[in-house]
Structure formats: C-alpha cells, structure tokens
Amino acid sequence: MSIEHGPDAGQNTVEDHATTTRDVYTTMPITVRTRRSPFFERSHACGASGYIVYNHVLLATDFASPEEDYLHLKRAVQLWDVGCQRQIELSGPDAARLVQLSTPRDIATMQDDQCFYVPTVDAAGHMTNDPVTLRVGPDRYWVSIADGDLILYYRGLAAGLGLDVQIGEADVWPLAIQGPRADELVGRVWGEAATRIRFFRHTRVDVDGVPMILARSGYSAQGGYELYFEGQDGADALWDRLMTAGADLDVRGGSPCQAERIEAGLLSWLSDMTPDMTPFEAGLGRFCHLDRDTGCLALDALRAQREPTRQIRPIGISGGPLARMMGFWTVTDTNGTTVGRISSAAHAWSYGDNLAIGLIDRSHWETGTPLLVQAPDGEREAEVMPGFPGRG
Amino acid sequence: MSIEHGPDAGQNTVEDHATTTRDVYTTMPITVRTRRSPFFERSHACGASGYIVYNHVLLATDFASPEEDYLHLKRAVQLWDVGCQRQIELSGPDAARLVQLSTPRDIATMQDDQCFYVPTVDAAGHMTNDPVTLRVGPDRYWVSIADGDLILYYRGLAAGLGLDVQIGEADVWPLAIQGPRADELVGRVWGEAATRIRFFRHTRVDVDGVPMILARSGYSAQGGYELYFEGQDGADALWDRLMTAGADLDVRGGSPCQAERIEAGLLSWLSDMTPDMTPFEAGLGRFCHLDRDTGCLALDALRAQREPTRQIRPIGISGGPLARMMGFWTVTDTNGTTVGRISSAAHAWSYGDNLAIGLIDRSHWETGTPLLVQAPDGEREAEVMPGFPGRG
C-alpha cells in the first residue's frame, strides 16, 4: 500500500501519454505562491515562452527554439535567471558539522573561496538533493539547492541533535553567465582578474558598489560563471550592463539547456536522480568519501551500498526526433524484459544523435549493450554508450 | 544580506505587477518532473484549463469560470483531483512521537478513525506546513500535506533523535467530493451508512473490492468528503461511477475554489501562511495546546509567542472586480503607513463583496478599522471584518 519513496508514483508511463495526454504544454496562472527572481522581468523580456516552477520560483524553459537555444549556447554567451537555485544559509559554530552530517563528501578541506558539489543524503544513504555548497566565510555556507525543501531536513536534524547553527534562506539570486564567450564578457565587466578564478572557486566582484560572489560554475559544459546576486535592487541595471557589454558577443537571455546538459551528463534532480536512489546509483561515487570518518550520518549505510544493482548510463537512441518527455520511458532488453528507465532525452545536434540518461540494471549496463526504449511513438533501438560525449 | 525565512523574497510587490508584468497566465511544459495523479486524465477531460504545480503534482485551477465554478460548488457537488495532497506515512513505535514533536496540537487523544488538522512547526515555533493528519491504525499516520517537502523535516528530526519510525510517501491520492449534494452522491455509491461519518472522522468504503479510507473533510465549507484512493489502478472507473451516479445532481469536475475558501477563512500555505509565521499569527491558537507537556519541540518557544503583534484578519475590500493576485498587496492605514499585507482576495458573489485574507499589525486589527489596500489598479478602501462570512 505504501511505497518507500515518492517520485515514481504519479509519473505516468509511456502508455498513458501515447493514448490519452493531449498537450505537452499547459497553462499556469501566476499566483502569490509563484515567486520571481529580481531578474525575472529582464529575462522574460528576452523572449522566454515557457516556465516551470522550481523551488517555488519561476524558471524559464524556452526562448527561440530548442535547437537555436542549444547552438547559441555552444557558440556565444547567455544570461540565465537561475534565481530558483535558492540559497540555504547555514552559519554558526555547528554549520560545518551540519553540512557534513548530510553529505558523504568530505568537506574538511573546503576553503573560504571554494564551491563543492555535495550530493546530500538522509541517514539511510538515499539522496535528498544535489546542491553546490559554497563556503563563504568561517562557519558560513550557502547551500545552492536543486528543487526541494532541503532547508526542512537541516532544521529537523539540527533540532534533533541540538546543534548551534542558524538556518535561513538567503536573499541571494544566482545569475548564470554561460557559454564559450563568458570569459570575454566577464573580463569586460569585472576586469581580467575575475576571469582567472579557477573552476569551482569564487571571488568577490563589485556590483554597483556592493561586493558579490562570482563563481566559475554552472549547469552547462560550455564554461562560465554564476553570480550570486544579493538583494532585490539593481538587478535590471546589472542585466542591462551585461547585455550592453556583450552586444558584439551575441549575448542573449537563456536558461539551462536540456540537450546540452544531457550530452554533458549533468543530471537533473527529481528526474535523473530520485529520492529512492543512492549517490552510487547516480554515478556519484567519486563524491562519497567512505574511507574516513567524515561524520556523515549515512557512512555505514553507504558503505553497505557501494555496489549498486542499477546505475546511471549514457544511452544513445536511434531514429528521428524524439517526443518531448512527460514521464519516464521504459527500457527493455531485446526480449522485452524491463531493465531500466530513461529519465531525460533530447536530440544532440552536435552529435547528430539522440542522447539520453538512463537508470539501467547491472545486467545490461555494459557499454554496447543493445536495448529497446518504449518511446511514446513506438519502440526505438538504443545502446549503452561509452560516455557522455559532451562531458567537459 | 540574509533573511531568516524565505517566501517573502521574490514575491513581487504591487508596483512590479502594475507596471511591468504583462501576463497573469504563462505556459508550462509538462515534464518528467511534473507528476500527475491517477485522476488526472478524467479531471482534465472535465475541462480544466489551468494548472499549478503543488507538491510536484499538477493541480487544476480553472474549469468553467471563477464565478460559475464558485456558484456550482455552493449548489451541487464537485469531484476534485487533489492527489497533490501527498501522504507522508509514518509508522512504527515512534510514529506518534514524531507527529507530536512537530505540532503544538495535542494528539494523545486521537482515535484510529480520526483526522486532525495539525499545523506543524519547527523548534522555534515557526510553521513548516499545515497538514491534516489521519490516524489510520495503531502507530500509523498519514500526514496529508500542503505544498512542501515536510517529509525532509521528519527524516532529519528522526535521524537526529534516533527514532524508531518508518517514513515514506504513500501511494495514496485524495479525491475530494465537495458541495451540498455530496452526501446524496456518497450515499448512492457507498450506502447511507457512509454518510453518517462525523466531521473529521473516517471510515473504510469498498472501491472495486479494495477497502479505502473515506473521511468527512475537505478544503471548502460546503460539506463533503475526501476519499484516500490507493494505488494507480481503477481511478478512471471510480471517477466514472461517481459521475454517473451523480448525473442528476449536476456533479462536475472542479478544484479548490479561491473565492469560496477565502470567504470561509480557509488559509493557504505559502500565501496566507508563510514559514516566518507562528500558528498564533495565523490565527491557529486553538490548535496550540501549551498548557500540557505534549512533547512538542516548540512548546517553550510558542509559550513565549502567545501574543502576536500581527495576525490573520478577514478584510473587506471596496470597489469593483479585483485583479488576479500575483503577489502580496500592501495594506496601509489611512495615512499611508504600511500595516500589513493581503495574501488572498476574490470577489465573493454570495456576499456581493470583495473578501480578502490579510496579515495585519496589532495596531490596526480591530474590527471596523479602516484600511487602504494597494491593488494593482490603484488604492482601494478596505476594512477589518468581524469574521469570515462563509465559515461553516
């Protein structure tokens, strides 16, 4: 009667879509409950035509077209309003301990100018989110979350253990500057020194007199930055300044690109990764430091789950254009036995191929294994690929 | 730089809307991340024209028109796909303790056939959700949540305290049967005995051979039931059976009605109630049992906050039809000093008036106090009302 973890329930299977669901898009009223970042108006004016709600904030999904948005990201530079990456601020004597209790990644060596990708887990080793965490000072962290109220986990755990830590949502709204010309644009606006930040390091830059954090990071493999914009005022002016400075670089408004992030193997929380999965199943074993006593609450639980029976794999799917995904697609072997699911798929124009992210059983996860994918318009031949071709 | 609690940030003020936001509706792609309940297809076929995402599940918002949906709800009976009210199942020896740690309401007397409205709070006494909790057996609870991952709070707290409890999302999808003719419809389908359930009690009814929980409850003041449908199969057949049985009762598909729930004073989580509020500020003091040692973690914190400086009030707003709300509206006194916010407002046709829910400072919360509301189309005269006129 009950399932241990949620997201699978209600994610309709392919049969539903092919026969009954009529629309890939629906109409959504904007309400008091729908938050918008300070960059919303400027981003919207760049031609955003669709939105999802992410952390109770609007996130644009479509601008020119999927292909044009993709090709442009790979040749120029885009500004993304990713204010929906909300920041949980943890501060105080036990802040580091709270971060460490909730992730298998060892954060002991983290410096004040570093960002760490820290898959978060509950006590059983199941994933709760996959944030990037910034150390922004002694005893002070910003946990930049994927879609979900991870703040409630921190509050519950801190209360249960009686930790001395302040937990709140910071009034900070990331603006991503992504694409091969991002360095050029950032250099023009904040000087050449800013472009010398190393990957997943951050520095302070001046935004109309206020020092704000600029990190070399982002949800693409095209290079770029994320500016952690503080407060509500001055967002329009900053956006305009970047657009003006980058006019000859063909800077445009954009948003995370499904095809590009799939070819780069960048996973999406609540589709590729679900709360029933361990970091090992998600292929994130390199972030699990289980050989030392880090203090992670799930240390023993994860030690017992080092060898998963299913794992994320890059999947190539044959044939023409794919339908837009509205639910998981079942993956079978060539005899029709279910061996996994596709959670993300798109045409990757650079590779002339359909690329996908699959969660595949151990029996069928070797490179080259032939598979079948039950797409809404029929069965497709597919294969386990040697790697994500766009991984940087 | 940081605010202690989130929702206010990003909820634009009226100035933004009046001058810059063009559309009250936007386009939303349905994705793998957008869950649908087993009733989605049947509900959609009844003419749902708009959706929001609630607990990562689609929730319909519009059918015929706001006025017609409202008038029909008050004279007939509607089926609502409220599968978005996800059920957190807590079971095991410490299940009751976990529920009690997280709410100021004393649950010690709760019987196996009872539903309790249990505002939930963190250790500081701030609200984390406002679920209805069902006791569905010894050491077994379903927490039927408003929009938010309360499951993560339970997981964190249980881990911190080392509780012996199973925490998961149940494969259960509520279907609301609301309106004055709901008794007649339920009697026809499940027999007259089912209609003798008392308010906020539940019983088992037969759904194609499976006993499922039927409760007298729901997010309207028109009377009715919520059926806790289990699993994915048979939802279409049940929906059809109810529609056929109620054809001469004018049964229709519908969804929670903004105007009706406002006039009834039914609050909405993340608009009327936000995570920076205590239950006292939300006017929920009657659910705070602070005179006994219930075990609620926030007992001392709430004892110190019994006398709030702002509180929810029913507000009447003068003038013609109101714009749809896309953010809080500022409330001022007659001199223009801010004294609160409107979080929900609608025309209540039964009363020929605009009714609203406001969070008003103590200095201006007395009945009859004249106020001004900064609506997108200009300032409106308003007044604190003696009560919510539609409260049942």
Side-chain angles (χ1 to χ4, degrees):
Chain A
M1 161 182 320
S2 90
I3 51 171
E4 185 52 26
H5 301 283
D8 276 285
Q11 264 152 337
N12 300 350
T13 56
V14 57
E15 290 75 22
D16 300 307
H17 305 147
T19 57
T20 57
T21 301
R22 287 152 296 275
D23 304 310
V24 176
Y25 290 89
T26 186
T27 298
M28 172 172 61
I30 298 179
T31 73
V32 174
R33 303 176 68 265
T34 322
R35 300 191 290 176
R36 280 137 280 163
S37 99
F39 297 107
F40 174 79
E41 290 294 342
R42 282 295 192 270
S43 167
H44 187 70
C46 286
S49 61
Y51 287 92
I52 61 170
V53 175
Y54 197 96
N55 279 323
H56 312 287
V57 179
L58 287 175
L59 171 62
T61 57
D62 294 278
F63 284 80
S65 76
E67 180 172 4
E68 178 54 24
D69 293 345
Y70 165 92
L71 294 172
H72 177 264
L73 172 62
K74 297 182 83 162
R75 75 168 179 261
V77 55
Q78 298 180 351
L79 305 185
W80 299 352
D81 170 12
V82 286
C84 64
Q85 290 169 210
R86 306 302 307 124
Q87 310 303 303
I88 304 174
E89 180 168 311
L90 306 176
S91 59
D94 286 331
R97 187 172 166 216
L98 185 54
V99 173
Q100 186 65 80
L101 281 161
S102 312
T103 181
R105 182 161 183 184
D106 185 351
I107 66 152
T109 62
M110 199 173 182
Q111 321 249 305
D112 284 350
D113 70 340
Q114 256 184 317
C115 322
F116 270 21
Y117 177 70
V118 291
T120 55
V121 295
D122 63 20
H126 292 122
M127 293 186 71
T128 51
N129 206 292
D130 78 319
V132 170
T133 296
L134 287 73
R135 190 171 148 105
V136 291
D139 296 329
R140 189 151 163 266
Y141 297 83
W142 285 350
V143 184
S144 187
I145 53 171
D147 190 23
D149 299 323
L150 184 63
I151 195 169
L152 291 173
Y153 184 83
Y154 286 130
R155 287 219 161 103
L157 187 57
L161 294 174
L163 300 185
D164 185 4
V165 58
Q166 299 294 312
I167 304 168
E169 189 184 89
D171 187 14
V172 172
W173 306 85
L175 174 69
I177 305 166
Q178 298 288 304
R181 295 180 177 170
D183 275 340
E184 177 70 24
L185 178 55
V186 162
R188 290 181 188 180
V189 172
W190 287 298
E192 198 266 338
T195 68
R196 288 196 296 264
I197 317 173
R198 287 182 290 150
F199 188 60
F200 267 52
R201 295 273 174 168
H202 58 80
T203 188
R204 295 264 173 185
V205 295
D206 179 274
V207 179
D208 286 324
V210 181
M212 295 190 190
I213 286 177
L214 180 72
R216 187 181 289 279
S217 58
Y219 195 57
S220 87
Q222 303 311 310
Y225 300 81
E226 287 174 298
L227 176 75
Y228 290 79
F229 185 83
E230 300 182 21
Q232 301 288 313
D233 299 328
D236 287 356
L238 174 63
W239 185 282
D240 293 345
R241 188 169 158 212
L242 286 160
M243 291 299 276
T244 301
D248 62 306
L249 303 174
D250 192 21
V251 60
R252 298 185 193 174
S255 62
C257 174
Q258 186 75 343
E260 195 275 343
R261 70 101 187 157
I262 292 171
E263 69 184 35
L266 294 170
L267 306 183
S268 172
W269 175 241
L270 297 184
S271 57
D272 306 318
M273 296 173 291
T274 48
D276 58 331
M277 289 170 65
T278 68
F280 292 110
E281 292 178 324
L284 302 173
R286 66 193 177 283
F287 300 111
C288 298
H289 301 133
L290 306 183
D291 52 342
R292 342 164 194 173
D293 185 14
T294 54
C296 171
L297 216 52
L299 217 50
D300 289 338
L302 285 175
R303 280 174 182 152
Q305 298 176 76
R306 282 178 199 262
E307 302 297 335
T309 58
R310 59 180 189 167
Q311 199 170 52
I312 291 291
R313 283 292 182 277
I315 307 293
I317 302 179
S318 69
L322 295 167
R324 191 157 181 155
M325 292 189 74
M326 297 194 289
F328 295 128
W329 294 348
T330 299
V331 177
T332 69
D333 65 15
T334 51
N335 297 317
T337 303
T338 298
V339 297
R341 71 183 185 201
I342 299 293
S343 48
S344 299
H347 189 74
W349 290 272
S350 305
Y351 302 94
D353 212 348
N354 295 317
L355 294 176
I357 296 173
L359 182 65
I360 307 296
D361 291 348
R362 172 191 287 271
S363 58
H364 289 75
W365 75 24
E366 288 302 319
T367 300
T369 305
L371 300 168
L372 296 172
V373 170
Q374 309 302 319
D377 57 355
E379 193 169 86
R380 301 276 190 124
E381 293 185 354
E383 188 178 304
V384 180
M385 313 271 288
F388 289 101
R391 185 158 273 176
Chain B
M1 160 180 321
S2 90
I3 51 171
E4 184 53 27
H5 301 284
D8 276 286
Q11 265 154 335
N12 299 352
T13 55
V14 57
E15 289 75 22
D16 299 310
H17 305 146
T19 56
T20 57
T21 302
R22 288 152 296 276
D23 304 309
V24 177
Y25 290 88
T26 186
T27 298
M28 173 172 61
I30 297 178
T31 74
V32 174
R33 303 176 67 264
T34 321
R35 301 192 289 177
R36 278 137 282 164
S37 100
F39 297 107
F40 173 80
E41 290 295 342
R42 283 296 192 269
S43 168
H44 188 70
C46 287
S49 61
Y51 288 92
I52 60 170
V53 174
Y54 197 97
N55 279 323
H56 312 288
V57 179
L58 287 175
L59 170 62
T61 56
D62 294 278
F63 284 80
S65 75
E67 180 173 3
E68 178 53 25
D69 294 344
Y70 165 93
L71 293 172
H72 177 264
L73 171 63
K74 297 183 84 162
R75 74 168 179 260
V77 54
Q78 297 181 351
L79 305 184
W80 298 353
D81 171 11
V82 285
C84 64
Q85 292 171 208
R86 307 302 307 123
Q87 310 304 304
I88 305 174
E89 180 167 310
L90 306 176
S91 59
D94 287 330
R97 187 174 165 215
L98 185 53
V99 173
Q100 186 64 81
L101 281 161
S102 311
T103 182
R105 181 161 183 183
D106 185 351
I107 66 153
T109 62
M110 198 173 182
Q111 320 248 306
D112 284 352
D113 70 341
Q114 255 183 318
C115 322
F116 270 19
Y117 177 69
V118 292
T120 55
V121 294
D122 63 19
H126 291 122
M127 293 187 70
T128 52
N129 206 290
D130 77 319
V132 169
T133 295
L134 288 74
R135 189 170 148 107
V136 293
D139 296 328
R140 190 151 161 265
Y141 297 83
W142 285 350
V143 183
S144 188
I145 52 170
D147 191 21
D149 298 324
L150 185 62
I151 194 168
L152 292 174
Y153 184 83
Y154 287 131
R155 288 219 161 103
L157 186 57
L161 293 174
L163 300 186
D164 185 4
V165 58
Q166 299 294 313
I167 303 168
E169 189 184 90
D171 187 14
V172 172
W173 306 84
L175 174 69
I177 306 166
Q178 298 287 304
R181 294 179 177 170
D183 275 341
E184 176 72 24
L185 178 55
V186 162
R188 290 181 188 180
V189 173
W190 287 298
E192 197 267 340
T195 68
R196 288 197 294 267
I197 319 173
R198 286 182 289 149
F199 188 59
F200 267 52
R201 296 274 173 167
H202 59 79
T203 188
R204 295 266 173 185
V205 294
D206 179 275
V207 179
D208 286 324
V210 180
M212 295 189 191
I213 285 176
L214 181 72
R216 187 181 289 280
S217 59
Y219 195 58
S220 86
Q222 304 310 311
Y225 301 81
E226 288 175 297
L227 176 76
Y228 289 80
F229 186 84
E230 300 182 22
Q232 301 288 314
D233 299 329
D236 287 356
L238 174 64
W239 184 282
D240 293 345
R241 190 170 157 212
L242 286 160
M243 291 299 276
T244 301
D248 63 308
L249 303 174
D250 192 22
V251 61
R252 299 186 193 172
S255 61
C257 173
Q258 188 76 344
E260 195 276 342
R261 70 99 186 157
I262 292 171
E263 69 184 33
L266 295 168
L267 305 184
S268 172
W269 175 241
L270 295 185
S271 57
D272 306 317
M273 297 172 290
T274 49
D276 58 331
M277 289 170 67
T278 68
F280 292 110
E281 292 177 323
L284 303 173
R286 66 192 179 283
F287 300 111
C288 297
H289 300 134
L290 306 183
D291 51 343
R292 344 167 190 170
D293 185 14
T294 55
C296 170
L297 216 50
L299 217 48
D300 288 337
L302 285 174
R303 281 173 181 155
Q305 298 176 76
R306 281 178 199 261
E307 303 296 335
T309 57
R310 56 180 190 169
Q311 198 171 52
I312 291 291
R313 282 292 181 279
I315 307 292
I317 301 179
S318 69
L322 295 166
R324 192 157 180 152
M325 291 188 75
M326 297 194 289
F328 295 126
W329 294 347
T330 299
V331 176
T332 68
D333 64 15
T334 51
N335 296 318
T337 302
T338 297
V339 297
R341 71 186 186 199
I342 298 294
S343 48
S344 299
H347 189 73
W349 289 270
S350 306
Y351 301 94
D353 212 347
N354 295 317
L355 294 176
I357 296 172
L359 182 65
I360 307 296
D361 291 348
R362 173 190 286 271
S363 57
H364 289 76
W365 74 24
E366 288 302 318
T367 299
T369 306
L371 300 169
L372 296 172
V373 170
Q374 310 302 321
D377 57 356
E379 194 170 85
R380 301 277 190 124
E381 293 185 354
E383 187 179 306
V384 180
M385 312 271 289
F388 288 101
R391 184 158 273 174

